Amino acid sequence: MTAEQLDKTYNPKQFEQQIYSSTEPMFAPNNTGGETYSILMPPPNVTGSLHVGHALTYTIQDILIRYHRQHGYDALWQSGVDHAGIATQMVVTKELEASGVDISAITREELIHKIWEWKDKSGNRIVEQQKSLGCSAPWDLSRFTMDKEFCAAVIKAFVALYKEGLIFRDKRLVNWDTKLMTAISDLEIRNEEEEGTLWHIKYKIVDSDEYVTIATTRPETMFGDAAVAVHPEDGRYTHLIGRNALIPYANRTVPVITDKYIDIEKGTGCLKVTPAHDYNDFAIGKRHGLDVISVIDKSGHMTFKNVPEFLQGIYVKKARKLLLSKLAEDGAVVREEKITHTLPYGDRSGTVIEPLLTDQWFVDAKALAKAAVEAVERGEMKFHPEKWVNTYLEWMRNIEPWCVSRQIVWGHQIPAWYGSDGSIFVEEDEATAIARAEERGISKDQLTRDPDVLDTWFSSALWPFVTLGWPDDDAPALRTRYPTSVLVTGFDIIFFWVARMAMMSLRFMKKVPFRDVYIHALIRDSSGQKMSKSKGNVVDPQDLMDEFGADALRFTLAFMSVPGRDIKLGKDNVKISRNFITKIWNAARFLQFKETQFCSELPETVTGKINNWLIAKLRKFQQNIDQNIREYRFDYATRNIQSFLRDTFCDFFIEAMKLHEDERAKIIAGKVFVEFLRISHPFIPFVTDRLARSLGVCDSLLMLGPDVSVLRVSISEKDEEEVDQFIELLHQVRSARQSNGDVDGEYLALLERQRSWPGELNLVATRIA
RNA sequence: GGUCGCAUAGCUCAGUUGGUAGAGCGCCGCGUUCACAUCGCGGUUGUCACAGGUUCGAGUCCUGUUGCGACCACCA
């Protein structure tokens, strides 16, 4: 490696790209049979582009991977992309519609084909951005949740779970998105508080002049009422129990029943029970054997059955208005009460979610959760920071069946075939399903395949072992790398992904998927606001990288990764990091100017107090970083990098070097600076590699861990202490001079003490003060 | 309603085992003779949210209060 003169200014744009491509071949795992270190990269959505949250999570993972690779581990960072069922189908559908395609007119196969086309064309954008950030993943090993092998694995897992009774089909109330026309899981809805109205509405009691007044926020569902319920001990209504109430305009009566679920204080104390459109009402209905009467269809309109003519086929919100004006006209609205309540909205579509009764596939999450809870309780999978273990356990212990079928086309089609007689065949392929059906006397033509696809998170849940080779139990990666070392992700993904990977992994691999789970912070804007497109406060990491360099962004994100606190990211923070990196650059320039030797070996015994002191500080620095990495304290690590370079190396050592010319010091300075570059490399890979090359040290620091010879060299601990004291005194002298002027007695006394210091410190003292 | 965080300098935040309150930014002063003004040297800035308790000693441990935030659940 030949040295070259460093530019006067640090200009990351000039070399980052080039450094990346020249080191890329070295990102592959070495597969030498040594100790492995593996990280699964959370697969970004195929539709995604890099946002600051990604930048943070990838920076942390890349630091870990580079560090372990440098330290001789067989390191694998398994990358990939997620097909992101609903999100992707939405994006492509929108694009097609915008270009004038009538979505309702194209077939399932055509749409799937279009999405593949889109994926091949645009699905790789985020990988390019990951590369700009410096992510050192072996991209040729990258997986896609819809690639052939992955699909086969998903189907295999589904069939296995089904045959074990851990997946079942049932008619239940599910969260239905009327815009996307699919079921979604509990996690895919977000509840939003808003102002609403509670209408008190009279139902006439049959064969009487009395009325019963119910309170509801959703009057339009009254046509699905199956009862009016009161609390058994509510004296106000005892006389009505067992009577029948007439539903307005419906020509239908419902009984007044009692149930302890009813809250006497709430509303009027009378609850209209609508099993088809409310989870609690469904439960009440089940207890009392009530009919389940649907009045809303899958697109969010009133049905044509069960609903009076003037509301048939009308959109729910409009139907509500119409009905209310008619009820008011007829004097049935007793009271309008303003309340705040929370409404469920679809995460993706933004429309109100309707609980609807439909046939769906469910995973028996409760059964799977048992092992996933126990493994964590036994400490086989550890959370960092530890507090997140409570979030995980709490959710796992109260888990409900997971609805995994989606009424869309982009995803893994459920391997279930239905016979015309209602029989179900769940098999890995069509041929087997047909064979099984024929055994039961059902011909091929009488079989239809379930059109639904699986929830995207179902395949994501299998990510840890499928990417490593499952279902081939002998796959080398599966044998040597499972369980993986650590999963790095945000807390919002604990339920969606971490918990489900734990469940599936324990079922199929009998072991936890990773030893550690590192939960990182959420990034907010500089004033602490959550970033969102609608607020317009989204910071684009690409912009920051363009302006300050990828290293500056990485350093900033690591620096601000304080456990348990959100990151308030502003441009200024990145600028400060850039300034620090410039400082490193200039330190290198100085050493180059001084014709420092970068490649010579350390002498067995270091002479010179300051030289000894520097070596001692370097050792501590190295040990600190090791500990920081072990404890996932990237904030401490970057602080250590900063203070070593600035306070220790530049502000004292280099300054002393200027005053006290010493050939030994040049050797030490070169050696220590190179060690500094190696140790810092995982955090700021581009600039450290660039400097190592320019100074003629090596082609890349990617594989070069800290030199252990630094640890072997014998140094005097007394020297370290002595120089520390000297520096302390130096501060006092400077301070005294600044505030009191040169003539002050205190200053002179301090100066005297300083000058009496032995060896080269004396020399330095005379000139530095 | 349940759970979990957070509160330290003007701002953003460190403070690891209980032992003299810190950094960066900002601000003020000084400084461009051999890296760096994207810099250096020095200075300024505190009721550690509040109230109790444990302790020789509490920013740190315990109890309570207030404020802010997040998540989960429910809502007639």
Side-chain angles (χ1 to χ4, degrees), chain A residues 727-744:
Chain A
I727 291 171
E728 177 55 35
L729 183 63
L730 190 64
H731 285 304
Q732 287 175 29
V733 171
R734 283 167 167 172
S735 180
R737 184 182 55 186
Q738 194 80 25
S739 48
N740 304 331
D742 288 7
V743 290
D744 184 79

Side-chain angles (χ1 to χ4, degrees), chain A residues 107 191 218 230 267 271 296 328-329 356 373 527 755:
Chain A
T107 65
N191 294 306
R218 304 210 51 192
V230 297
L271 178 72
I296 297 168
E329 227 171 80
L356 285 192
V373 165
S527 58
R755 291 206 168 130

Side-chain angles (χ1 to χ4, degrees), chain A residues 205 208 210-212 230 234-243 256:
Chain A
I205 298 293
S208 138
E210 281 191 88
Y211 289 87
V212 59
V230 297
D234 191 344
R236 294 173 295 177
Y237 303 114
T238 321
H239 64 293
L240 296 177
I241 296 165
R243 306 287 295 270
V256 178

Side-chain angles (χ1 to χ4, degrees), chain A residues 652-672:
Chain A
F652 189 71
F653 191 84
I654 283 189
E655 291 310 316
M657 208 173 140
K658 286 180 187 172
L659 299 162
H660 177 64
E661 284 283 352
D662 178 354
E663 284 310 309
R664 294 168 309 175
K666 281 191 189 175
I667 296 174
I668 301 294
K671 185 77 189 167
V672 168

